[in-house]
Amino acid sequence: MSIESNLLKKERQNVTFSVEELTNVWDGGKEDTEIRRKVVKVFGDDPVLKSPPICTMTREERYTEATRKCVYIFRNMLQKNGIYPGSKEFEHFWNAMPIEYTLLIHMGAFIPCIMSFGSEEQVAKWLPLSANLNIICTYAQTELGHGSFLRGLETEATFDRETQEFVINCPKVSSMKWWPGDMGLNANHALVMANLIIDGKKYGMHPFMVQIRDLSTHMPLPGVTVGDIGSKMGFEAIDNGFLYMKNVRIPRENLLNKNSEVKPDGTYVKKASDRLMYGSMVNLRVNLPKSQAIDVLAKACTIAIRYSAVRRQGLLNPGGAEVAVLDYTLQQHKLIPQLATVYATKFAGEGIIKKHQAFLQNMAKGNISDLAEIHALSASFKASVSEQCTEGVEVCRRACGGHGYSQASGLPHLLSKVTPTCTYEGENTVLYLQTARYLVKCAKEKAADLPESILFLVQPIQNARGNITSLDNLALYFKNRAALCVQAASKKVNQMSNKGLAMHEAWDKSSVQLVHATKAYVIQYIFDAFASFVKEVKCSKSVKEILEDLCCLYGLHYINNCSGDFLKLGILTAHHCNIAEEAEIALLEKLRPNAVGIVDAFDFTDSSMESCLGAYDGNVYERLFDMAKLSPLNKEPVHQASYKYLRPYLLEGRDILEGAKSKL
Amino acid sequence: MSIESNLLKKERQNVTFSVEELTNVWDGGKEDTEIRRKVVKVFGDDPVLKSPPICTMTREERYTEATRKCVYIFRNMLQKNGIYPGSKEFEHFWNAMPIEYTLLIHMGAFIPCIMSFGSEEQVAKWLPLSANLNIICTYAQTELGHGSFLRGLETEATFDRETQEFVINCPKVSSMKWWPGDMGLNANHALVMANLIIDGKKYGMHPFMVQIRDLSTHMPLPGVTVGDIGSKMGFEAIDNGFLYMKNVRIPRENLLNKNSEVKPDGTYVKKASDRLMYGSMVNLRVNLPKSQAIDVLAKACTIAIRYSAVRRQGLLNPGGAEVAVLDYTLQQHKLIPQLATVYATKFAGEGIIKKHQAFLQNMAKGNISDLAEIHALSASFKASVSEQCTEGVEVCRRACGGHGYSQASGLPHLLSKVTPTCTYEGENTVLYLQTARYLVKCAKEKAADLPESILFLVQPIQNARGNITSLDNLALYFKNRAALCVQAASKKVNQMSNKGLAMHEAWDKSSVQLVHATKAYVIQYIFDAFASFVKEVKCSKSVKEILEDLCCLYGLHYINNCSGDFLKLGILTAHHCNIAEEAEIALLEKLRPNAVGIVDAFDFTDSSMESCLGAYDGNVYERLFDMAKLSPLNKEPVHQASYKYLRPYLLEGRDILEGAKSKL
């Protein structure tokens, strides 16, 4: 057994709580852990899903492998293993997916959209075709020159009464569809969002089913220019595409007409409110943080903490041996707060998922009164979590020194997976401002008119008493800060407006404060939700203590990094801040012996991380060496480029270097 | 002319200062601008240096192209164009280099090392060979299991008296050399740092010239296992390598023996202090920030600001047209402070380069009394600048929305170029702690014994008077904060030690505060140096005003992000903080009309950025479309993977989809 393996073994012997129990808490119960493991095993055992490590493949190979595996999974594996939407197995299914996959937009965006936008008849036609991969369809909304501002989109669908068709056109280069996943190479249909035009009158954005490739030859149809947009940071295996349409004709029936319809004579009929559309957007946003950001940070923590427990460097004690880098306070100060972020955001996110499920039940009864609250909460939560997790993954990556740059560490891949969550499904700054609008509105309302989650905004400020590091007091600090920040930002908008600025100018000039206030609001939500969860969760004393410590650490670390607000607003004194700093260092020391146990509890398989640094056995150096040998540049012992470009000069050197080994 | 081009043209018409004059200030004078442009033109015009855009190539193609071009540059171009080390042209030569190049370690690390470590005779032998590329040599220090802790390295060089050779061995997998650039495929020699052993006694790290590949066949020599370590985040074109040596024998003369020698009978002779070695390490660190971090952020600013001036989104004014995103306060708040960082760090860095030149002149006379100061300053400066620039590039990248993820934007490449500067040439945390040791020591000294740059640590705290946003007052705030932070950290070390902790434990338990204090120290240096430069620079009033505004913005933005310290330490009040916030927003508004002019002044050529978003003409959408067409995945109109894996199912769908175009 290598020295490194032995070190990890010792770490595990010193853990003071039941790792299996924490795994169950993480999964949501013992039964869930079992189901997850079952699904993960089915996928892990299937030889068809084996691929070379992604860090040894070109982008084209990664796309090819991901497509091959996904077609197999969606056509063969799900049904065979009883993994249906709605089943418990399905909930854990993303945990078992290969590291890279395509058809995500087809399965995860198009199919929900057809169900939201299509009439019963249309759903009956398109749903089975797409579920069976008889068609591959992308969701084509963003354009080259237009992102999150929906009304700015320029693609047009003009009704031709004579032929009973819509004619789809991208009037300019900048109006071509750009970015949708699965669109470049795989999709033969696109759900195109386009401006409906009847008799020269514009009716705004509507969803149209447009065939873009031939079903037999897979060649682009006439009028269609389609392809891959090229290499990106993240989603390398996916064929994010461009789609330029010139006079592409589709039958009238291809307008998805659940909410609005065009009659054969060109009459436009509005059938339902567009507000219902928000329901599915919120849906995506509610479910994104866990799988695309929090789990990613959890993996980065697993890698960095296991590696830090076996990597030795320098002499903490000048007389002794080299010590594990995890024994340095500064390394703990980098990594352990990231663990706290994982737990805080995961359990806070579950609170939002529950709220959203209740909302969906109400919506089914036609009651959408909670829409504004759930929208504001989920938007700012997505924005904040994506930023915290991106920052956290980068902290973990850099804490691994040089090897954190190696693709073999798995960390650069995690970074490029998590970073885009700051931008897709709503750019974060735009989302913060949307929530700010809700908060400013709420701050003017009476308590009786507000949902519980937002009440603190208008209630009297409560003072903390006793131990400043208790979870109750920390929750109070965050609430007070959020309330004061929202009030200050609202006041600023009013002041600007009173100075004579138009409302949109006053809003823009206050936007830095508005975003700041929204961040304060969502952090108070996260801390409060996590603290409530920790109080209520049923588990052993030792596991509860871990959760309490992580919760306290989350609060203290945030306060210590952001003490300006708390001081400026009079919530904390300089003395408090000093106590908070000391308390954080003490917590790091306390959590240190359990750090490996806490990441073990995430229960990630080695193959789900493809990390030489983070594997369960700790054999980091053998793994790095084995992976290096697979580098495509090592295929031959002499690379043709060095031979071709350097050899003439090396030969000159041979004559000068007497005795040098040249073997001629 | 496209709408976007027209918008940039208008931006340029509105600039209120002479862009050419600011370019001259940036370059260090009119003459320097001319020389730089001349060198850039020579490289830019040479058809041999043309390559496909890097975002369309595989890693292997990038390595091949970079090697081809570098061999050509170093063998053919430099001499031909009179670009010799020491010439003015040589100083600007890195500005003209292709985006990716290899042989960096050979030219930039090995050659200086041979001159530092080699005797006259050894330099006379190896220098011409390496300058002419008759040998390619890497500098092999770090090992798989050991990074910045030099004494931990495990590779051994054992003296064999009988054969008059050294026998080089890596005893374990974790002791193989790992990471050095140019080592994997190109180098046929390595300057190996190894533990010298004579008759069983260890003498510590010494530099040995080891041939690793045959000069004629380029095959690895017996006992040598060498290759590329695989794909990384950053330096994709470079063959960072592994080197495993088993009983590799080299002649006794291959110990580079300027500082220490082994006589034929095995006697070890120390000739000079190892402290002189620090000189060359400091040298690298002093010159790294400008080319590897500050210029990279300057490019990211150029791209993000030009793009933000042509990208339109949303309606600031509900009645009006869509506006450029640069007109939003939040976008200005993201981007314009990055411009301030570029200027502040660039001119502060020049102060360090000058200090270092003076130090080198003294060192030549045997006086190294300034070593501690220049080491502390350059170490913490490198750490701080690499972090500020990495963060800044990421802010610029995300400010470009979705397109910031496209490799075609050039931004992911800049990010992966700048991020590694946080780790190579000294990991930042290690560097901060080294500087902290110096600061804590200085804080105990008498003023008379300290260099001027550090005097403020022990002098009485001065209070600011008058306008809190004046450059003088801002400088005072930063000084006061640094002094108080260093004092607090020193006090903490003492307290811990008085509690009975051993010194190394007391130091470790105070390390979070020590790093924090060091950051405060280096920020005060940067602000002070930039403010002094702005005061003294000879230029027109309008250019000076730009520089003053950028300096003030740098200070205010930092204070607003980090107000906790200033409040906690009693340097600023809540009222001051509010003024600082308002003043920052006002400055953003003032600088906005000149933003495009300020980035134009960096004078980067389009080909030095390879960015569809940042090109001078602003034709962002045409460029993105043209680049996308070059994606290797678009070579055929139907990609074989989608055809192979999806077509069977698509054909099933054809029978169901009546009227769908299949063209069978």
Side-chain angles (χ1 to χ4, degrees):
Chain A
M1 192 182 266
S2 69
I3 303 172
E4 288 75 25
S5 267
N6 240 324
L7 284 170
L8 265 192
K9 207 176 145 192
K10 275 188 201 147
E11 291 278 346
R12 290 181 176 122
Q13 284 162 354
N14 293 333
V15 166
T16 64
F17 67 97
S18 156
V19 171
E20 181 67 16
E21 191 193 343
L22 185 55
T23 299
N24 295 338
V25 171
W26 175 259
D27 283 327
K30 210 175 161 64
E31 188 208 0
D32 283 76
T33 299
E34 276 165 27
I35 294 172
R36 177 180 53 75
R37 284 192 182 140
K38 196 184 78 184
V39 178
V40 167
K41 193 171 157 27
V42 167
F43 276 59
D45 289 349
D46 196 317
V48 179
L49 297 182
K50 300 274 177 282
S51 277
I54 57 169
C55 68
T56 65
M57 292 193 281
T58 63
R59 183 174 169 230
E60 189 155 9
E61 289 163 347
R62 287 162 72 177
Y63 156 73
T64 300
E65 278 296 280
T67 299
R68 176 182 72 74
K69 289 193 278 192
C70 270
V71 168
Y72 172 73
I73 290 167
F74 292 128
R75 280 291 291 211
N76 300 86
M77 284 195 76
L78 295 191
Q79 270 197 313
K80 205 173 104 187
N81 293 287
I83 305 172
Y84 299 103
S87 70
K88 269 276 182 193
E89 281 74 11
F90 196 80
E91 281 175 39
H92 294 290
F93 148 68
W94 294 107
N95 285 307
M97 282 293 272
I99 285 193
E100 293 191 317
Y101 40 85
T102 62
L103 303 184
L104 183 67
I105 298 298
H106 172 79
M107 297 300 287
F110 167 67
I111 291 184
C113 276
I114 193 83
M115 291 165 79
S116 294
F117 302 152
S119 65
E120 268 180 48
E121 202 179 313
Q122 288 172 325
V123 173
K125 174 179 176 186
W126 297 107
L127 187 58
L129 284 169
S130 48
N132 291 330
L133 309 190
N134 297 138
I135 64 165
I136 304 294
C137 190
T138 185
Y139 176 75
Q141 180 179 304
T142 51
E143 296 174 357
L144 183 49
H146 293 278
S148 30
F149 184 62
L150 212 67
R151 278 175 293 159
L153 297 177
E154 296 175 324
T155 299
E156 294 172 349
T158 308
F159 184 57
D160 180 343
R161 195 177 285 102
E162 210 157 302
T163 62
Q164 291 287 303
E165 289 173 319
F166 294 104
V167 189
I168 314 286
N169 269 300
C170 305
K172 290 187 290 189
V173 169
S174 62
S175 15
M176 83 175 85
K177 296 297 177 183
W178 196 274
W179 271 114
D182 301 328
M183 188 164 84
L185 309 177
N186 282 345
N188 50 19
H189 280 73
L191 197 169
V192 171
M193 296 301 285
N195 213 333
L196 169 65
I197 301 178
I198 309 171
D199 297 331
K201 187 180 165 191
K202 293 190 174 176
Y203 289 84
M205 288 303 128
H206 286 75
F208 299 86
M209 284 295 296
V210 182
Q211 187 178 351
I212 58 175
R213 285 180 181 268
D214 184 288
L215 291 177
S216 172
T217 63
H218 207 54
M219 285 290 285
L221 295 183
V224 169
T225 308
V226 65
D228 171 76
I229 62 166
S231 186
K232 298 141 297 184
M233 181 174 174
F235 295 111
E236 279 294 78
I238 291 182
D239 56 331
N240 297 81
F242 59 81
L243 172 62
Y244 203 1
M245 292 166 288
K246 282 281 168 208
N247 293 319
V248 174
R249 291 182 163 262
I250 56 171
R252 189 177 56 88
E253 295 73 32
N254 283 19
L255 165 63
L256 295 179
N257 60 21
K258 185 178 186 176
N259 299 335
S260 33
E261 197 179 345
V262 175
K263 298 279 182 198
D265 66 352
T267 314
Y268 179 77
V269 185
K270 188 95 199 152
K271 297 198 282 190
S273 160
D274 284 336
R275 287 191 82 196
L276 287 170
M277 274 170 57
Y278 286 110
S280 55
M281 274 166 59
V282 169
N283 195 26
L284 266 176
R285 217 171 271 151
V286 163
N287 291 303
L288 177 159
K290 170 71 169 60
S291 66
Q292 305 302 306
I294 301 166
D295 276 353
V296 179
L297 179 56
K299 283 181 184 173
C301 286
T302 304
I303 296 168
I305 285 176
R306 285 181 182 163
Y307 176 60
S308 296
V310 304
R311 173 74 171 194
R312 283 149 300 141
Q313 185 163 301
L315 309 170
L316 195 56
N317 173 357
E322 281 196 282
V323 296
V325 291
L326 194 53
D327 289 323
Y328 287 93
T329 297
L330 279 167
Q331 190 77 350
Q332 296 161 17
H333 188 251
K334 289 174 187 172
L335 296 180
I336 303 183
Q338 307 315 323
L339 271 182
T341 299
V342 170
Y343 278 85
T345 52
K346 144 97 175 171
F347 291 111
E350 291 197 346
I352 295 179
I353 291 172
K354 273 182 202 144
K355 248 184 213 291
H356 183 241
Q357 280 161 351
F359 164 76
L360 288 180
Q361 283 173 0
N362 289 332
M363 192 173 80
K365 296 177 209 148
N367 170 5
I368 54 167
S369 61
D370 297 340
L371 181 60
E373 182 198 4
I374 189 81
H375 173 73
L377 191 53
S378 63
S380 57
F381 184 74
K382 179 272 190 187
S384 177
V385 169
S386 58
E387 286 170 9
Q388 290 182 62
C389 290
T390 297
E391 201 188 318
V393 170
E394 177 66 1
V395 168
C396 290
R397 197 186 62 71
R398 278 198 228 165
C400 292
H403 295 321
Y405 294 88
S406 264
Q407 296 285 354
S409 72
L411 289 163
H413 174 74
L414 292 177
L415 183 65
S416 64
K417 175 162 183 175
V418 72
T419 310
T421 58
C422 296
T423 306
Y424 66 70
E425 292 307 323
E427 198 276 328
N428 282 355
T429 302
V430 173
L431 294 181
Y432 281 129
L433 284 175
Q434 286 176 5
T435 300
R437 219 168 268 279
Y438 172 75
L439 295 174
V440 168
K441 193 167 153 279
C442 286
K444 290 182 202 149
E445 309 256 341
K446 283 181 211 142
D449 298 333
L450 291 177
E452 210 199 316
S453 74
I454 208 83
L455 265 185
F456 71 94
L457 270 189
V458 298
Q459 284 174 335
I461 298 290
Q462 227 185 312
N463 282 325
R465 279 178 196 198
N467 179 4
I468 75 146
T469 64
S470 75
L471 299 191
D472 286 345
N473 279 340
L474 290 171
L476 214 51
Y477 300 142
F478 283 112
K479 274 201 198 313
N480 287 347
R481 170 179 177 246
L484 293 170
C485 283
V486 171
Q487 285 158 19
S490 301
K491 198 173 140 196
K492 169 117 202 236
V493 176
N494 286 338
Q495 279 173 344
M496 291 285 150
S497 160
N498 291 341
K499 270 188 191 167
L501 290 188
M503 203 36 167
H504 65 272
E505 287 172 299
W507 186 262
D508 177 66
K509 286 289 167 225
S510 314
S511 54
V512 172
Q513 283 86 347
L514 287 163
V515 167
H516 185 78
T518 307
K519 289 181 180 178
Y521 154 75
V522 71
I523 288 291
Q524 75 74 33
Y525 167 78
I526 292 171
F527 186 84
D528 198 55
F530 184 33
S532 304
F533 171 82
V534 171
K535 249 183 222 168
E536 286 157 25
V537 66
K538 303 254 174 298
C539 62
S540 68
K541 215 181 125 198
S542 56
V543 165
K544 184 157 264 190
E545 195 176 337
I546 298 282
L547 293 170
E548 282 165 353
D549 288 344
L550 288 170
C551 187
C552 188
L553 179 61
Y554 184 75
L556 290 174
H557 189 73
Y558 189 91
I559 288 175
N560 289 331
N561 277 333
C562 205
S563 56
D565 260 13
F566 296 91
L567 288 160
K568 200 171 73 175
L569 299 167
I571 299 166
L572 296 176
T573 64
H575 178 63
H576 287 141
C577 288
N578 290 333
I579 296 176
E581 273 178 32
E582 296 299 326
E584 181 179 357
I585 306 287
L587 266 181
L588 297 176
E589 194 174 353
K590 185 178 174 202
L591 282 161
R592 157 71 186 91
N594 283 320
V596 168
I598 296 170
V599 298
D600 281 353
F602 296 136
D603 200 26
F604 292 121
T605 59
D606 284 355
S607 66
S608 76
M609 295 189 290
E610 284 197 3
S611 167
C612 296
L613 300 186
Y616 190 83
D617 66 10
N619 274 327
V620 293
Y621 300 125
E622 286 77 4
R623 282 173 192 277
L624 280 170
F625 190 29
D626 289 343
M627 188 66 88
K629 290 180 207 155
L630 299 178
S631 165
L633 274 64
N634 294 330
K635 257 180 221 140
E636 304 292 333
V638 175
H639 194 279
Q640 57 177 3
S642 28
Y643 195 77
K644 177 171 173 191
Y645 299 115
L646 290 167
R647 190 162 173 270
Y649 312 117
L650 305 183
L651 288 178
E652 280 179 33
R654 186 172 54 91
D655 305 328
I656 304 163
L657 269 175
E658 285 170 55
K661 289 162 205 161
S662 77
K663 292 234 172 135
L664 258 193
Chain B
M1 192 182 270
S2 70
I3 302 172
E4 288 75 27
S5 266
N6 239 326
L7 284 171
L8 265 193
K9 205 175 147 193
K10 273 188 203 149
E11 291 277 346
R12 290 183 175 121
Q13 284 163 353
N14 292 333
V15 166
T16 63
F17 67 96
S18 156
V19 171
E20 181 66 15
E21 191 194 345
L22 184 55
T23 299
N24 296 338
V25 170
W26 175 259
D27 282 328
K30 209 176 161 66
E31 189 208 0
D32 283 76
T33 299
E34 275 165 26
I35 295 173
R36 177 180 54 74
R37 284 192 182 141
K38 195 184 76 183
V39 178
V40 167
K41 192 171 158 24
V42 167
F43 276 58
D45 289 349
D46 196 316
V48 180
L49 296 182
K50 298 274 178 282
S51 278
I54 57 170
C55 68
T56 64
M57 291 193 279
T58 64
R59 184 175 168 229
E60 191 155 7
E61 289 163 346
R62 287 161 72 177
Y63 156 73
T64 300
E65 278 297 279
T67 299
R68 177 183 71 75
K69 288 192 280 191
C70 269
V71 169
Y72 172 73
I73 290 168
F74 292 126
R75 279 293 291 211
N76 302 87
M77 283 195 78
L78 295 191
Q79 273 197 310
K80 206 172 103 186
N81 294 288
I83 305 172
Y84 299 103
S87 68
K88 270 274 181 196
E89 281 74 11
F90 195 79
E91 282 174 38
H92 293 290
F93 148 67
W94 294 107
N95 285 307
M97 283 293 273
I99 285 193
E100 293 190 317
Y101 41 87
T102 63
L103 303 184
L104 183 65
I105 297 297
H106 172 80
M107 298 300 286
F110 167 68
I111 291 184
C113 277
I114 194 82
M115 293 165 77
S116 295
F117 301 150
S119 64
E120 268 181 45
E121 203 179 313
Q122 288 171 326
V123 172
K125 175 179 176 184
W126 297 108
L127 187 59
L129 285 169
S130 47
N132 289 329
L133 308 191
N134 298 136
I135 64 165
I136 304 295
C137 191
T138 184
Y139 176 76
Q141 179 179 305
T142 52
E143 296 174 358
L144 183 48
H146 293 277
S148 30
F149 184 60
L150 213 66
R151 279 175 291 158
L153 297 177
E154 297 174 324
T155 298
E156 295 171 350
T158 309
F159 183 57
D160 181 342
R161 196 177 286 105
E162 212 159 302
T163 61
Q164 292 288 305
E165 290 173 318
F166 294 105
V167 190
I168 313 284
N169 269 298
C170 304
K172 290 186 290 188
V173 168
S174 61
S175 13
M176 83 175 86
K177 296 297 176 183
W178 196 275
W179 270 115
D182 300 328
M183 189 165 81
L185 310 177
N186 282 345
N188 50 16
H189 281 72
L191 197 171
V192 172
M193 295 301 284
N195 213 330
L196 169 64
I197 302 177
I198 309 171
D199 297 330
K201 188 179 164 192
K202 292 190 174 176
Y203 289 82
M205 288 303 130
H206 286 74
F208 300 86
M209 284 295 296
V210 182
Q211 186 179 351
I212 57 175
R213 286 180 182 268
D214 185 288
L215 291 176
S216 173
T217 63
H218 207 55
M219 284 291 283
L221 294 183
V224 169
T225 308
V226 64
D228 170 77
I229 62 166
S231 185
K232 298 139 299 184
M233 180 173 173
F235 295 112
E236 279 293 79
I238 291 182
D239 56 332
N240 296 81
F242 58 82
L243 172 62
Y244 203 1
M245 291 165 288
K246 281 283 170 208
N247 294 319
V248 174
R249 289 181 164 264
I250 57 169
R252 189 177 56 89
E253 294 73 33
N254 281 21
L255 165 63
L256 296 179
N257 59 21
K258 184 180 190 176
N259 298 335
S260 33
E261 195 178 346
V262 176
K263 299 280 181 196
D265 66 353
T267 313
Y268 178 77
V269 185
K270 188 94 201 156
K271 299 199 281 189
S273 161
D274 285 337
R275 287 192 82 194
L276 287 169
M277 273 169 60
Y278 287 109
S280 56
M281 274 167 60
V282 169
N283 194 25
L284 267 175
R285 217 171 270 150
V286 162
N287 290 303
L288 177 159
K290 169 72 168 58
S291 67
Q292 305 302 306
I294 301 166
D295 276 354
V296 179
L297 179 56
K299 283 181 184 173
C301 286
T302 305
I303 296 169
I305 286 177
R306 285 182 182 161
Y307 174 60
S308 297
V310 303
R311 174 74 171 193
R312 283 148 299 142
Q313 185 163 301
L315 309 171
L316 194 57
N317 173 359
E322 281 197 282
V323 295
V325 291
L326 193 54
D327 289 323
Y328 287 94
T329 296
L330 279 166
Q331 190 77 350
Q332 295 161 16
H333 188 252
K334 289 175 187 173
L335 296 179
I336 302 181
Q338 308 314 323
L339 270 182
T341 299
V342 170
Y343 277 85
T345 53
K346 143 98 173 167
F347 291 110
E350 291 198 346
I352 295 180
I353 291 172
K354 273 184 202 144
K355 246 184 217 292
H356 182 243
Q357 281 161 348
F359 164 75
L360 288 180
Q361 285 173 357
N362 289 333
M363 191 171 82
K365 297 177 211 148
N367 172 5
I368 54 167
S369 61
D370 297 340
L371 181 59
E373 182 199 3
I374 189 82
H375 173 73
L377 191 53
S378 62
S380 56
F381 184 74
K382 178 271 190 189
S384 177
V385 170
S386 57
E387 286 170 10
Q388 290 182 62
C389 291
T390 298
E391 201 189 317
V393 170
E394 177 66 3
V395 167
C396 290
R397 196 186 62 71
R398 279 198 226 163
C400 292
H403 295 320
Y405 293 87
S406 265
Q407 297 285 354
S409 72
L411 290 163
H413 175 72
L414 292 177
L415 183 64
S416 64
K417 175 162 184 175
V418 73
T419 311
T421 58
C422 296
T423 306
Y424 67 67
E425 292 307 321
E427 196 276 330
N428 282 356
T429 303
V430 173
L431 295 180
Y432 281 130
L433 283 176
Q434 287 177 4
T435 301
R437 219 167 268 280
Y438 172 75
L439 295 174
V440 168
K441 193 168 154 280
C442 286
K444 291 180 200 152
E445 309 255 341
K446 284 180 209 140
D449 299 334
L450 292 176
E452 210 199 316
S453 73
I454 208 83
L455 265 185
F456 70 95
L457 270 189
V458 298
Q459 282 175 337
I461 298 291
Q462 226 185 311
N463 283 325
R465 282 178 194 198
N467 180 3
I468 76 146
T469 65
S470 76
L471 298 192
D472 285 343
N473 280 340
L474 290 171
L476 214 50
Y477 300 142
F478 283 112
K479 273 199 198 315
N480 288 347
R481 169 179 178 247
L484 293 170
C485 283
V486 172
Q487 285 159 19
S490 302
K491 199 173 140 195
K492 169 117 201 239
V493 176
N494 286 337
Q495 279 173 344
M496 291 285 149
S497 161
N498 291 340
K499 271 188 189 167
L501 290 187
M503 204 36 169
H504 65 272
E505 288 172 298
W507 186 262
D508 178 66
K509 287 290 167 223
S510 314
S511 55
V512 172
Q513 283 86 349
L514 287 163
V515 168
H516 185 77
T518 307
K519 289 181 180 175
Y521 154 74
V522 69
I523 287 292
Q524 75 74 32
Y525 168 78
I526 292 171
F527 186 85
D528 198 54
F530 184 33
S532 303
F533 171 83
V534 171
K535 250 182 220 168
E536 286 157 25
V537 66
K538 303 253 174 300
C539 62
S540 67
K541 215 182 129 198
S542 55
V543 165
K544 184 157 264 194
E545 194 176 339
I546 297 283
L547 293 170
E548 281 166 352
D549 288 344
L550 288 170
C551 186
C552 188
L553 179 62
Y554 184 74
L556 291 174
H557 189 72
Y558 190 92
I559 289 175
N560 289 332
N561 276 333
C562 205
S563 56
D565 261 12
F566 296 91
L567 288 160
K568 200 170 72 174
L569 298 167
I571 299 166
L572 296 178
T573 63
H575 177 63
H576 286 141
C577 288
N578 290 334
I579 295 175
E581 275 178 32
E582 296 300 327
E584 182 180 355
I585 307 286
L587 266 180
L588 297 176
E589 193 173 352
K590 185 177 172 202
L591 282 161
R592 158 69 186 93
N594 283 321
V596 168
I598 296 171
V599 298
D600 282 352
F602 297 136
D603 200 24
F604 292 121
T605 59
D606 285 355
S607 65
S608 76
M609 297 190 289
E610 284 197 3
S611 168
C612 296
L613 301 186
Y616 190 83
D617 67 10
N619 274 328
V620 294
Y621 300 124
E622 285 78 3
R623 283 174 190 274
L624 281 170
F625 190 30
D626 288 342
M627 188 66 86
K629 290 179 206 155
L630 298 178
S631 166
L633 275 64
N634 294 332
K635 259 180 219 140
E636 304 292 332
V638 176
H639 194 278
Q640 57 178 3
S642 29
Y643 195 76
K644 178 172 171 188
Y645 298 116
L646 290 166
R647 190 164 173 269
Y649 312 117
L650 306 182
L651 288 179
E652 281 179 31
R654 185 173 54 94
D655 304 329
I656 304 163
L657 270 174
E658 285 170 54
K661 289 162 205 161
S662 77
K663 293 232 174 136
L664 258 194

